[in-house]
Amino acid sequence: QVQLVESGGGLVQPGGSLRLSCVVSANILSLTTMAWYRQAPGKQRELVASITAGAVSNYADAVKGRFTIGRVVARKSVYLQMNSLKPEDSAVYYCGVDHNGNWVWGRGTQVTVSS
């Protein structure tokens, strides 16, 4: 049974930064793909960033150059560093893992970018 818990969300002004963290209950970060998704009200869930078992990262065009995904395998933790935040980045952010072909998600953490 794999569980994920996100933290680090909150209210930030445009141009500011936040760092989201995701703690995974199993030692699988080096074995599969981890990802951050986000969902705003009335919109579909979209991929923000992912990192493979080989530590290769991928980013949505909207966040390239501003966001960074990383992991600390020994701590069973995945993070998302978000810089130069924009109001359109406001959403609930979810951490997910591909567990034997089935995606498992955390409960999400709210990010609000506003003046």
Side-chain angles (χ1 to χ4, degrees):
Q1 194 76 39
V2 176
Q3 297 178 359
L4 307 95
V5 180
E6 304 98 333
S7 63
L11 175 64
V12 64
Q13 295 185 352
S17 298
L18 281 175
R19 185 181 179 93
L20 307 183
S21 295
C22 172
V23 177
V24 185
S25 64
N27 188 21
I28 60 174
L29 272 65
S30 62
L31 303 178
T32 189
T33 297
M34 304 290 298
W36 286 96
Y37 282 73
R38 66 186 182 187
Q39 187 168 26
K43 295 185 177 181
Q44 298 286 84
R45 182 178 296 192
E46 64 176 345
L47 174 67
V48 178
S50 64
I51 183 166
T52 69
V56 177
S57 59
N58 184 62
Y59 300 91
D61 289 341
V63 307
K64 286 182 178 177
R66 300 189 297 119
F67 290 12
T68 302
I69 188 172
R71 67 185 186 183
V72 183
V73 175
R75 295 184 181 274
K76 301 178 183 178
S77 178
V78 178
Y79 65 84
L80 183 68
Q81 179 66 43
M82 305 184 294
N83 299 324
S84 302
L85 283 162
K86 305 174 181 179
E88 50 263 45
D89 294 319
S90 297
V92 177
Y93 284 70
Y94 298 90
C95 179
V97 58
D98 182 1
H99 183 57
N100 296 326
N102 184 24
W103 281 90
V104 180
W105 306 98
R107 294 182 181 273
T109 185
Q110 177 71 51
V111 172
T112 302
V113 184
S114 176
S115 298

